[in-house]
Amino acid sequence: MPKASIARHLEIFHDAGLDPSALDLDVCAAFNALRHAGAIDAERPQLLLHGTPKFTKLMLIDQGKPRSIRTIRFSLDAPAQDAPVPAAGSSLVEILSREISRLLLADAAGSSPAHLLLSGEFEDPGIARDLEAATQIPVKMFDLAAAIDPSFAKEGPRPPRLGAALGLALKGAGIDALGMDFRQDEFR
């Protein structure tokens, strides 16, 4: 739906720190790449956390398919101007942990994720360790670059985080796990 048709609704979402107009592109493209590479567990629920420089996207996956998606204006490196300010004694990982809890509480299905799967800006062993400690949910990292080209598993320079870009490239090649219409203007 064109943004102009729902402009006042988008303003309400923006004031709440949500960006529904950007939901589909990054996290769904990353899901496409991760699913194609074998990172998505079709047997057990999992929660994909995809970080971008300004947003965090959470996708609850059940039976290998997205069940719930949420986007928040939040980054672990540099929170956006209108992102929540951490209270004294509160870390950014704790804030993210609370957002994960909110998503899981809002999801009425009742099955907890078997693990968190990190993507994008969150692909970092330190973040994985801190999130696992804060949420008490096992955290998995998947080496997408090595899954695509085993030569990347060797020591040496690593390609930049590539989940969304690879997912879009796969979509362009006709490999589309979700059959979604990535906003064509941005996809091109």
Side-chain angles (χ1 to χ4, degrees):
M1 179 176 282
K3 284 185 178 183
S5 302
I6 55 170
R8 77 190 120 113
H9 295 289
L10 288 174
E11 287 175 22
I12 293 168
F13 287 126
H14 180 267
D15 291 345
L18 303 172
D19 187 11
S21 63
L23 261 181
D24 57 321
L25 194 59
D26 293 331
V27 74
C28 291
F31 173 84
N32 194 35
L34 290 164
R35 182 163 181 246
H36 180 69
I40 303 299
D41 186 344
E43 300 298 319
R44 301 181 315 171
Q46 57 198 320
L47 181 62
L48 171 61
L49 280 91
H50 181 73
T52 71
K54 288 172 66 175
F55 296 100
T56 294
K57 297 162 186 245
L58 301 98
M59 177 184 280
L60 186 58
I61 302 165
D62 193 15
Q63 298 176 353
K65 297 188 184 218
R67 184 169 69 209
S68 181
I69 300 173
R70 182 166 184 223
T71 297
I72 57 175
R73 190 177 304 269
F74 178 85
S75 169
L76 287 174
D77 292 331
Q81 290 178 332
D82 55 350
V85 176
S90 176
S91 75
L92 292 173
V93 169
E94 289 171 352
I95 292 170
L96 183 55
S97 173
R98 283 194 296 271
E99 293 299 328
I100 291 168
S101 294
R102 285 185 181 125
L103 174 73
L104 295 177
L105 286 172
D107 184 71
S111 57
S112 295
H115 62 268
L116 304 177
L117 180 61
L118 304 184
S119 175
E121 298 293 320
F122 295 137
E123 292 175 25
D124 179 274
I127 293 170
R129 182 190 61 245
D130 292 348
L131 270 175
E132 189 166 318
T135 62
Q136 299 300 302
I137 300 171
V139 175
K140 287 189 175 183
M141 293 183 27
F142 183 83
D143 191 344
L144 184 58
I148 301 305
D149 183 346
S151 69
F152 287 125
K154 300 173 186 168
E155 293 296 321
R158 308 269 311 146
R161 292 174 177 97
L162 53 85
L166 182 59
L168 289 174
L170 288 168
K171 163 82 172 162
I175 299 169
D176 184 3
L178 297 174
M180 290 189 70
D181 180 17
F182 296 128
R183 293 172 306 195
Q184 292 301 312
D185 54 334
E186 290 186 28
F187 177 67
R188 285 189 195 102

